[in-house]
């Protein structure tokens, strides 16, 4: 069973805006995260994911996921799956090249966006298992 506590000095992942960003990164790369967690640690992963799905403070579950990934051999832990590691999301809208529509988090719980252009079927939120909703961004 995972120990989910807050204030982990090893995580450096806190703050509401940053928590939303990390939650969206986890959603976007959850399949990759599951791939690096061995079967015997899956119950711990699922417990952590359950806590991330909750509405409470996300710092504790994020820190627990970071520690689990490190124990599974991912030296950078959760940082290996966050924006600094190559997740850029959608490009910012620039003059002459606006982002018109995107699929967004179904419950507005994170800031994940996936391009909707030429995609009639929405992506699925990997963390909550719900279809993402289409939203006009510009």
């Amino acid at each position: 069973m995972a120990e989910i506590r807050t204030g982990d000095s090893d995580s450096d992942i806190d703050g509401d805006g940053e928590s939303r960003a990390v939650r969206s990164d986890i959603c976007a790369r959850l399949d990759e995260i599951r791939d690096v967690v061995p079967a015997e640690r899956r119950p711990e992963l699922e417990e952590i994911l359950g806590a991330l799905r909750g509405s409470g403070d996300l710092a504790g579950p994020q820190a627990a996921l970071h520690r689990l990934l490190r124990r599974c051999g991912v030296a950078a832990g959760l940082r290996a799956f966050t924006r600094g590691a190559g997740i850029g999301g959608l490009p910012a809208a620039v003059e002459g090249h606006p982002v018109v529509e995107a699929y967004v988090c179904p419950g507005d719980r994170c800031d994940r966006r996936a391009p909707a252009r030429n995609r009639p079927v929405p992506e699925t939120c990997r963390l909550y298992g719900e279809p993402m909703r289409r939203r006009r961004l510009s």
Side-chain angles (χ1 to χ4, degrees), residues 1 8 21 34 37 40 53 80 84 87 89 118 122 124 126 134:
M1 188 172 277
D8 184 77
R34 281 193 168 113
V37 176
E40 64 271 10
R53 290 179 187 107
I87 282 210
N118 299 324
T124 299
R126 291 177 188 93
R134 194 175 188 121

Side-chain angles (χ1 to χ4, degrees), residues 16 19-21 23-24 58 103-113 125 128 130-133 135 137:
D16 185 49
S19 291
R20 288 176 57 88
R23 189 187 276 177
S24 69
L58 299 178
Y103 290 111
V104 299
C105 180
D108 196 34
R109 295 170 284 234
C110 75
D111 62 0
R112 180 176 172 214
R113 297 179 289 172
C125 170
Y128 292 90
E130 301 168 11
M132 295 176 73
R133 62 186 169 84
R135 186 168 109 200
L137 300 177

Side-chain angles (χ1 to χ4, degrees), residues 20-109:
R20 288 176 57 88
V22 171
R23 189 187 276 177
S24 69
D25 292 342
I26 292 167
C27 177
R29 299 194 54 194
L30 190 54
D31 292 341
E32 294 172 62
I33 290 170
R34 281 193 168 113
D35 285 347
V36 300
V37 176
E40 64 271 10
R41 293 198 178 264
R42 290 284 169 87
E44 183 178 356
L45 174 63
E46 293 307 318
E47 180 181 344
I48 293 168
L49 294 175
L52 283 169
R53 290 179 187 107
S55 60
D57 181 20
L58 299 178
Q62 288 174 2
L65 181 56
H66 176 75
R67 289 189 302 273
L68 173 63
L69 290 169
R70 294 204 43 174
R71 286 192 306 273
C72 293
V74 180
L78 186 54
R79 289 182 202 93
F81 298 94
T82 57
R83 280 173 175 64
I87 282 210
L90 292 177
V94 293
E95 188 174 336
H97 299 88
V99 175
V100 177
E101 289 186 329
Y103 290 111
V104 299
C105 180
D108 196 34
R109 295 170 284 234

